[in-house]
Each structure stands twice: as C-alpha cells, then as structure tokens.
Amino acid sequence: EVRLLESGGGLVHPGGSLRLSCAASGFTFSSYAMSWVRQAPGKGLEWVSAISGSGGSTYYADSVKGRFTISRDNSKDTLYLQMNSLRAEDTAVYYCAKDTKGGTLGLFDYWGQGSLVTVSS
Amino acid sequence: EIVLTQSPGTLSLSPGERATLSCRASQSVSSSYLAWYQQKPGQAPRLLIYGASSRATGIPDRFSGSGSGTDFTLTISRLEPEDFAVYYCQQYGRSPPTFGQGTKVDIK
C-alpha cells in the first residue's frame, strides 16, 4: 500500500523558514518523481515544486522560485521542501504527491494527508 | 501557463441524478493530458480520470471523462451519496501543471 506522510508544518512568522518532510512507503521511491502541491484555506490547488526520481531535475512555480528548495533522500525514501522567506500568502496545507513517472509528468496518483503551514505574526 | 476554467462553480443535485462538469483550457491541452480529481472536506485529492478519459485504479464506472483540445467534461452517471465533493480538473501537458478552481457538487 502506498503511503505518504508529511510532517514539519506549523506556525511561522513572516520572513521565517520551515522544512517539510514527506516519508514514503509502499513503492520504489527512487523510481518516481514527486511534487509538492498546496491549498490555501478555502481555496483551490496550486502546484509548488517537483523533483525527478533521481533528484537531478527540479522545478518550481514562479510564486516560490528563489525561496523554496525541493530535495529528496532516496536512501531514506523521504521528500523535503525547504521554505525560506515565508510570506502570509504561503499559508496553506502542503501535500506531497507521487507522480506516475520517474520524469516529472505532473500526474499525481497518490497524495499525502497534508501538513498545514501558517505564516502569521 | 495554461489557465483552466471550470463550470459551474456549484452544482446542486439529488442522489441518482446525472452530473456534468465542464473544464475549459486557455490553450489546447497536448495529448489530452487532462486529469480530474475528487476532494472531500479534510481529505487529500483523489485521482479519478487521466488522459481525459481513462479511469484511475479502483474508480467506479459511473465516472467518465471526455473531451480534447480545450474542452473537457467529467460525467457522473448516477450520483451516489459519497460523490458529493469538490472536483478539480488539471492539465499536465505543459509545465507548470495547473488546476481549475473546482466545481462543488452538493446535495439539493
């Protein structure tokens, strides 16, 4: 059974930093690209960032480019999102999502339960 | 980026009725790389349809997708109580992947 378990969310002040983790199980983690997708309270879904299965290619939404860094540790089956210079508009539930391919296709067949990040003073 | 516009915003129907949800893209979606997801309150999205018309694993056949180019449709043939939720379309043919704003299907 595929499982994705996010952690690391919480309350942070504007300008602060936070690192999200997503522990994966039930599939060969290194064979699949992974993404982070966020959802602001009461709003729709927004793709944030993606990383290929090998970790050699990364992609970012313009809204987070230069502030967020996606990475993965295939020896630990874990995905990360380092978030710096956080803004109020980054407040959202952050989901990790498994791609259907090793390269980043952008089609997500499994999602974690989400981790809430709140940016507020 | 490709902008997806879903209509209607809310669809009020009764169990057993047919639901038709629309998704229109600002540019042609290459290779029909269009997906539909279902999201219930407090839950993560669930993949229903990919490639515009292929059902994901375990999805009942009352869910069907159609369309190509810029116009796509999700049809639920007979609504079951568990189908009342928010539905999002998503294109993955061109980076960045983008989602529609969602259609809420609620109980009339």
Side-chain angles (χ1 to χ4, degrees):
Chain A
E1 179 192 4
V2 172
R3 295 193 70 182
L4 299 170
L5 186 62
E6 300 97 337
S7 60
L11 175 63
V12 61
H13 293 308
S17 298
L18 211 55
R19 187 176 86 154
L20 302 181
S21 299
C22 172
S25 61
F27 63 103
T28 305
F29 183 66
S30 60
S31 294
Y32 294 92
M34 299 291 295
S35 278
W36 290 97
V37 178
R38 68 185 180 183
Q39 186 170 37
K43 302 297 184 182
L45 301 166
E46 179 190 16
W47 172 82
V48 171
S49 182
I51 187 167
S52 61
S54 67
S57 298
T58 58
Y59 308 86
Y60 299 93
D62 287 345
S63 58
V64 306
K65 200 172 294 182
R67 300 187 299 122
F68 290 12
T69 302
I70 191 171
S71 62
R72 64 193 296 160
D73 186 337
N74 285 345
S75 69
K76 295 182 178 179
D77 292 350
T78 302
L79 175 73
Y80 303 100
L81 185 68
Q82 177 67 42
M83 303 183 292
N84 298 332
S85 302
L86 282 161
R87 306 166 179 168
E89 54 265 36
D90 295 318
T91 294
V93 173
Y94 285 74
Y95 295 100
C96 69
K98 172 186 168 292
D99 206 303
T100 58
K101 291 185 178 294
T104 51
L105 179 62
L107 176 63
F108 311 120
D109 56 357
Y110 291 95
W111 299 61
Q113 88 291 347
S115 183
L116 177 62
V117 172
T118 303
V119 184
S120 175
S121 54
Chain B
E1 69 177 45
I2 296 179
V3 176
L4 300 177
T5 302
Q6 293 186 239
S7 61
T10 302
L11 198 52
S12 296
L13 296 168
S14 301
E17 289 193 296
R18 181 184 188 91
T20 303
L21 288 66
S22 175
C23 176
R24 178 162 289 178
S26 60
Q27 307 169 43
S28 182
V29 177
S30 59
S31 304
S32 293
Y33 282 170
L34 193 287
W36 290 91
Y37 298 85
Q38 177 194 67
Q39 187 178 33
K40 297 178 181 178
Q43 296 186 18
R46 178 175 71 144
L47 178 65
L48 298 176
I49 300 287
Y50 64 94
S53 60
S54 297
R55 275 187 299 275
T57 303
I59 301 304
D61 61 7
R62 64 180 181 273
F63 291 92
S64 63
S66 63
S68 63
T70 60
D71 289 293
F72 299 88
T73 301
L74 174 69
T75 301
I76 310 171
S77 59
R78 290 172 56 88
L79 282 164
E80 297 288 341
E82 62 267 28
D83 299 337
F84 292 92
V86 178
Y87 293 83
Y88 294 95
C89 59
Q90 180 225 349
Q91 69 79 24
Y92 52 100
R94 182 175 297 182
S95 185
T98 51
F99 295 87
Q101 81 280 17
T103 288
K104 182 178 182 179
V105 179
D106 66 13
I107 299 176
K108 188 173 182 179

